[in-house]
Amino acid sequence: MPRVPQETLEQILAATNIVDLVGRSVKLRRAGSNYVGLCPFHTEKSPSFNVSPSRNSYHCFGCGVGGNAFRFLMEHDGLQFMEAVKRLADAAGIRIQEEVWDANAEREAKLRGALMKVQKEIAKWYHQLLMRHSSADVARQYLKGRGINSEVAKRWQLGFAPGHGGLLRRWMEEQGYSESLMIQAGILAESDDEGGRSVYPRFRQRLMFPIRNDQGEVIAFSGRLLDPNAKAAKYLNSPETPIFNKSRVLFGFDQSRRAILKSSQALVCEGQMDLITLFESGFQNVVAPLGTAFSEAHARALKRHADEVVLCFDSDNAGVKAAERSFRILAPVGLGVKMAALPQGEDPDSLIRSQGTEAFEGLLGFAEDFLDYQIGLFNQRTKRGSRDRAAFVDLVAENIRYLENPVAQEEAVQQLAVRLNVPIETIRERMRSENRPRTYEDRNAEAMPESKVTGKRLLTAQNPGALLLCQMGLADAEILDWMRKEVTSQFLEDVPGSELLSLIVEGDFNPLDDHSRSAFLASLEPDQEAAITDLLFRPSPPGRLPEAEEAVNGLRIIRLRGLRQRLQARLREPGLPGEEAGEIQSKILQLHQELREAETAARGPASGE
Ligand SMILES: [Zn+2]
């Protein structure tokens, strides 16, 4: 484990506002002394994710994740511990002196750091080429044709990747970037074919769109083909790298997040050009998935910012199919999904350029719930009495099951019955039929963060009395002091289910100082941290020192009984030497005596024994 002095960690945590930190990616509202929001780590419809400024930590009552600001960055942004420490230290202007440092973690952090730097630098270089280089003329012409001026190109840091590798090679040499780093960054690609291994620029003759993380840092690229005759994908994205996970990033989200929060609505378009045109035309609450499909992580991220998404897709078959795929990912997290179908062959970009922002505004005004749209489209295109009708009822019945809200489901069933003239019972039957999609509950259970570390397993394995003592020790300096003297870890070694208590009595922290307590959490294993955070979020335990003494006595009884049982088992072992047997018997007698005292104390002084 890397080592940063405890007091530095405390200092960093003290300087970090956890509500602000979490609030950058989770919509939070005040609830008493805490803040609540939808958990970013599992799918839920009502908020059970709590952030407490006074405890300086977060906790989800739904899935059990929890911890301090470092843990949040590790779990949410996928940072390593030291990276999280460094990011918050930087933000607070605190310098860290590292003591010892784990070689693996160092290598990983170094690689990630190097990749971030490459992406940042090459974004600048691509951009300069676009603005100035003679070979980028074709890209500038293309942008001009799409009404993108140099101001806009600057704002989005658009770039140009040249058709041949020579310029890139020279730039790499000047900058001192190795081929292997460039391959890891996804800028260079390698292939093995008959001619042997070859390394070449992944993006050639493409308009480059930097893809940014939530902090607005470049982590990857999407490149649009400029030669309409070339036989290659129109859009090409960077491969996944240690800093880029396609299913977690939405293009433009770093820019549009605030507008989405404000309007509680997200417009979804299919391409980067569409997004930029919409954003620059004043429709700032807009996102685009990278490639074709949304992931469940995307859906959850959107749900944390908005109640409704409007799909701005083409009304051709491909567009409607894409919309249906999106609906099936977005609806189950409780997002309302509307369709603003564009006239065939148009995209938001072409529509705005040919007919102005009013035309697009009007289109949004006519956006329909996706299922209504789907039914309307079917009625428009299909003759009455067609054999397709039964199959279509199946399809819509299946889609209705993806709606998260039972009331909305019921409304959709009624609508479908009326508009397709089908008995309600038939639809219900279709919805119940065998090959139905998985229910929301199945999906929800699956969305639970199995890979995420929670404290649940550890908590259920703890002795209730030990947990009560944990809560007292975390909240009360006097009790903690007393426990640190009375309850040794040697004592606890023989009490099953006291691991957490043992951590707490051994821990070096002051319960009256949140930052010291929070830094203590940072020294634990992730499941331990989540479990102890869970305890911090429970209502204060009743009682003071007398109750603590009582609870410790309870543990003593458990310990003595356990020890006695073990010795009794030894005594029954065949072939035990007589001398040893005598010794064990006397120990058992001793334990009897102690146990009797502890049990008497448990009954209380007034029991008159
Ligand atoms: Zn959760």
Side-chain angles (χ1 to χ4, degrees):
M1 270 299 273
R3 276 244 164 276
V4 173
Q6 174 89 356
E7 67 241 43
T8 312
L9 294 179
E10 287 178 25
Q11 218 185 340
I12 297 168
L13 289 166
T16 302
N17 181 336
I18 190 151
V19 177
D20 287 349
L21 178 76
V22 175
R24 261 184 255 149
S25 40
V26 180
K27 188 176 185 173
L28 294 171
R29 67 176 164 76
R30 193 179 251 290
S33 61
N34 285 357
Y35 289 77
V36 297
L38 292 175
C39 179
F41 301 109
H42 84 282
T43 306
E44 61 176 3
K45 40 191 171 173
S46 53
S48 47
F49 183 78
N50 278 250
V51 181
S52 162
S54 63
R55 296 182 188 90
N56 207 8
S57 52
Y58 67 97
H59 171 63
C60 175
F61 288 95
C63 67
V65 298
N68 61 18
F70 299 140
R71 176 67 50 198
F72 185 79
L73 285 177
M74 291 163 73
E75 301 279 318
H76 186 266
D77 294 14
L79 302 189
Q80 306 285 329
F81 177 71
M82 275 310 296
E83 294 175 293
V85 171
K86 277 188 172 158
R87 176 172 297 175
L88 293 180
D90 283 350
I94 294 170
R95 268 202 55 196
I96 334 178
Q97 309 236 318
E98 291 146 25
E99 291 170 2
V100 194
W101 166 275
D102 177 272
N104 256 335
E106 178 176 18
R107 211 173 310 124
E108 273 172 45
K110 259 199 181 141
L111 174 63
R112 293 161 65 95
L115 292 175
M116 295 297 289
K117 184 161 179 279
V118 170
Q119 304 291 11
K120 183 180 167 189
E121 293 301 324
I122 201 163
K124 278 190 211 156
W125 183 66
Y126 284 147
H127 180 63
Q128 279 164 9
L129 289 182
L130 175 73
M131 303 309 268
R132 290 197 210 113
H133 202 267
S134 55
S135 70
D137 205 37
V138 52
R140 288 189 291 266
Q141 286 305 322
Y142 172 81
L143 286 177
K144 205 169 156 199
R146 313 236 11 194
I148 303 273
N149 61 30
S150 66
E151 280 305 304
V152 176
K154 231 184 247 167
R155 227 176 353 256
W156 293 84
Q157 208 183 17
L158 303 184
F160 173 68
H164 297 286
L167 282 173
L168 181 60
R169 288 280 173 189
R170 200 185 318 149
W171 178 78
M172 280 168 55
E173 266 160 40
E174 281 167 16
Q175 303 286 319
Y177 290 129
S178 69
E179 188 176 273
S180 97
L181 181 65
M182 296 300 275
I183 291 172
Q184 292 185 80
I187 304 291
L188 290 179
E190 55 183 336
S191 74
D192 278 308
D193 45 28
E194 301 111 61
R197 174 176 173 273
S198 61
V199 175
Y200 55 92
R202 180 181 304 274
F203 301 100
R204 293 184 304 281
Q205 199 69 2
R206 283 177 186 267
L207 181 64
M208 300 298 283
F209 299 88
I211 297 168
R212 295 167 191 277
N213 63 14
D214 288 356
Q215 283 72 42
E217 300 159 317
V218 180
I219 51 173
F221 289 91
S222 180
R224 192 195 188 284
L225 205 60
L226 286 165
D227 178 0
N229 300 318
K231 284 196 216 97
K234 193 162 143 193
Y235 280 98
L236 181 68
N237 294 326
S238 298
E240 306 248 318
T241 68
I243 57 171
F244 175 51
N245 178 343
K246 198 163 34 166
S247 65
R248 296 206 156 267
V249 183
L250 288 162
F251 183 76
F253 203 37
D254 60 305
Q255 298 267 0
S256 59
R257 161 180 289 147
R258 284 181 59 191
I260 293 173
L261 264 178
K262 223 166 114 193
S263 61
S264 215
Q265 182 197 59
L267 308 179
V268 176
C269 61
E270 289 182 288
Q272 284 80 340
M273 276 312 290
D274 288 335
L275 184 137
I276 291 174
T277 304
L278 284 173
F279 191 95
E280 294 294 334
S281 308
F283 304 95
Q284 296 196 346
N285 54 329
V286 61
V287 291
L290 293 164
T292 48
F294 278 109
S295 69
E296 225 163 283
H298 287 144
R300 288 202 299 270
L302 287 173
K303 176 61 187 168
R304 290 197 299 275
H305 293 76
D307 298 323
E308 178 184 90
V309 295
V310 183
L311 306 173
C312 308
F313 289 4
D314 197 329
S315 57
D316 63 7
N317 279 334
V320 176
K321 269 281 150 224
E324 186 173 55
R325 271 201 307 274
S326 302
F327 169 82
R328 288 182 172 193
I329 301 282
L330 299 171
V333 304
L335 281 164
V337 181
K338 285 186 166 177
M339 175 84 170
L342 292 141
Q344 285 218 10
E346 298 268 18
D347 52 36
D349 176 48
S350 65
L351 185 76
I352 286 177
R353 272 183 301 121
S354 63
Q355 297 177 45
T357 53
E358 300 77 17
F360 189 77
E361 193 94 57
L363 198 79
L364 290 181
F366 284 109
E368 287 180 280
D369 278 330
F370 174 75
L371 293 180
D372 287 341
Y373 170 78
Q374 200 174 30
I375 296 169
L377 193 68
F378 177 82
N379 275 342
Q380 220 177 74
R381 290 184 184 171
T382 318
K383 290 197 199 86
R384 285 199 156 272
S386 154
R387 282 189 302 141
D388 296 343
R389 184 163 299 256
F392 183 71
V393 172
D394 277 353
L395 175 73
V396 180
E398 200 176 311
N399 283 341
I400 289 174
R401 294 190 53 92
Y402 283 90
L403 294 173
E404 176 264 345
N405 180 337
V407 178
Q409 275 196 4
E410 189 50 38
E411 276 173 15
V413 169
Q414 310 260 2
Q415 274 277 346
L416 179 61
V418 171
R419 292 185 64 189
L420 286 178
N421 197 17
V422 184
I424 285 184
E425 254 325 295
T426 311
I427 300 170
R428 293 230 168 88
E429 203 177 293
R430 307 313 300 174
M431 285 174 64
R432 279 192 295 267
S433 75
E434 276 309 299
N435 58 358
R436 65 186 196 195
R438 293 172 300 154
T439 63
Y440 176 70
E441 286 72 30
D442 296 340
R443 298 171 53 82
N444 200 11
E446 209 166 88
M448 276 298 193
E450 275 175 42
S451 61
K452 287 272 174 275
V453 178
T454 78
K456 283 196 170 163
R457 191 171 303 161
L458 192 53
L459 280 172
T460 48
Q462 298 302 297
N463 171 289
L467 279 186
L468 191 71
L469 288 167
C470 288
Q471 273 181 278
M472 289 176 168
L474 286 167
D476 190 317
E478 193 192 335
I479 293 181
L480 185 62
D481 273 347
W482 174 79
M483 282 201 302
R484 280 174 173 156
K485 285 188 220 100
E486 292 295 313
V487 188
T488 61
S489 56
Q490 197 191 350
F491 170 88
L492 290 176
E493 222 167 73
D494 295 313
V495 181
S498 67
E499 294 87 344
L500 289 180
L501 182 57
S502 169
L503 288 172
I504 287 169
V505 296
E506 300 264 289
D508 174 22
F509 68 95
N510 172 4
L512 299 180
D513 178 349
D514 301 318
H515 307 304
S516 137
R517 200 170 53 188
S518 202
F520 157 66
L521 288 178
S523 71
L524 304 176
E525 294 298 317
D527 60 332
Q528 297 169 342
E529 179 177 354
I532 291 181
T533 307
D534 187 307
L535 295 176
L536 284 173
F537 274 80
R538 294 185 185 184
S540 305
R544 304 244 22 217
L545 209 48
E547 284 78 7
E549 283 170 355
E550 215 170 274
V552 169
N553 195 50
L555 295 186
R556 185 172 297 126
I557 291 172
I558 290 170
R559 173 175 181 270
L560 293 171
R561 284 180 184 157
L563 290 176
R564 185 178 63 180
Q565 213 175 354
R566 244 186 280 161
L567 289 178
Q568 283 166 341
R570 288 277 318 272
L571 212 50
R572 284 194 295 272
E573 277 172 22
L576 191 71
E579 196 183 327
E580 211 182 327
E583 210 170 284
I584 291 175
Q585 260 164 339
S586 95
K587 271 190 197 155
I588 291 178
L589 270 181
Q590 169 75 22
L591 287 175
H592 268 313
Q593 184 56 33
E594 283 179 39
L595 193 54
R596 181 105 56 84
E597 280 165 24
E599 283 169 343
T600 307
R603 280 192 292 273
S607 69
E609 213 177 323

